[in-house]
Amino acid sequence: RKEVEQDPGPFNVPEGATVAFNCTYSNSASQSFFWYRQDCRKEPKLLMSVYSSGNEDGRFTAQLNRASQYISLLIRDSKLSDSATYLCGAGDSGGYQKVTFGTGTKLQVIP
Amino acid sequence: ETGVTQSPTHLIKTRGQQVTLRCSSQSGHNTVSWYQQALGQGPQFIFQYYREEENGRGNFPPRFSGLQFPNYSSELNVNALELDDSALYLCASSTAGHSTGELFFGEGSRLTVL
């Protein structure tokens, strides 16, 4: 079983739609969680960190469920520019900053 | 722009050769991590350098090695290249003590092994 699992998609959604991605992690000792965005053939860029209380940044909302070991990302009012791959990451609890990533979920927003 | 620069951006090698990839970290960042991203996969942690020493390693063989220099820049060396080493190699800089996982990636070095 992979440490971090995501549905690879693709998720094809119309502009303006709301879309949600889930990600599960197997290491219960993971302390920090993240969503990264990666455009085609580009480097990943941090979209948002995920806190226990949940957090929101404009149209994006991230939530963490430690009991079920999953995190989610909700995108409201999808824009064409949201088309990308969204990587879920779990930070290691060890003494160094290792992040285990899922394979990513591809989102295509359609006009 | 993250301020993390990598070189070269693209390179082609043949099986058995050796390669060195370079990374300059963002100003103020003292930790460098290297990740390998195969096509269609998420980045996989290779190792991390802090204070010029390896500070954590993923599931990669010893032919993957690295260095960190006093100015925090870093190199990734891969010996005896195999076809499966073809991937995007990403360098990420961060600051020790800051939230784990808030990584700033460079644009990557795309390696093709023939």
Side-chain angles (χ1 to χ4, degrees), chain A residues 64-84:
Chain A
L64 166 64
N65 184 320
R66 285 192 182 273
S68 301
Q69 295 187 201
Y70 79 83
I71 69 173
S72 63
L73 177 68
L74 183 77
I75 305 175
R76 290 181 298 278
D77 188 23
S78 298
K79 312 289 185 191
L80 295 176
S81 57
D82 294 334
S83 298

Side-chain angles (χ1 to χ4, degrees), chain A residues 1 3-4 10 12 17 30 52 59 61-62 68 70 78 90 96-98 106-107 111:
Chain A
R1 182 186 173 189
E3 286 190 50
V4 177
N12 297 312
S30 295
S52 297
R59 298 182 293 109
T61 301
S68 301
Y70 79 83
S78 298
Y96 55 94
Q97 298 170 330
K98 170 189 171 184
K106 187 170 182 179
L107 171 66

Side-chain angles (χ1 to χ4, degrees), chain A residues 2 32 34 36 38 41 43-44 46 49 87 91-92 95-99 101-103, chain B residues 35 37 41-43 45 48 55-56 90 94-95 98 100-103 105-107 110:
Chain A
K2 291 185 178 179
S32 51
F34 307 89
Y36 280 76
Q38 186 171 27
R41 301 184 72 81
E43 75 276 19
L46 180 66
S49 302
L87 295 162
D92 200 278
Y96 55 94
Q97 298 170 330
K98 170 189 171 184
V99 177
F101 288 96
T103 56
Chain B
Y35 286 79
Q37 187 174 24
Q41 302 297 315
F45 178 76
Q48 180 181 93
N55 180 38
L90 295 160
S94 56
T95 302
H98 280 202
T100 299
E102 291 185 354
L103 304 172
F105 286 95
E107 293 188 355
R110 193 168 298 278

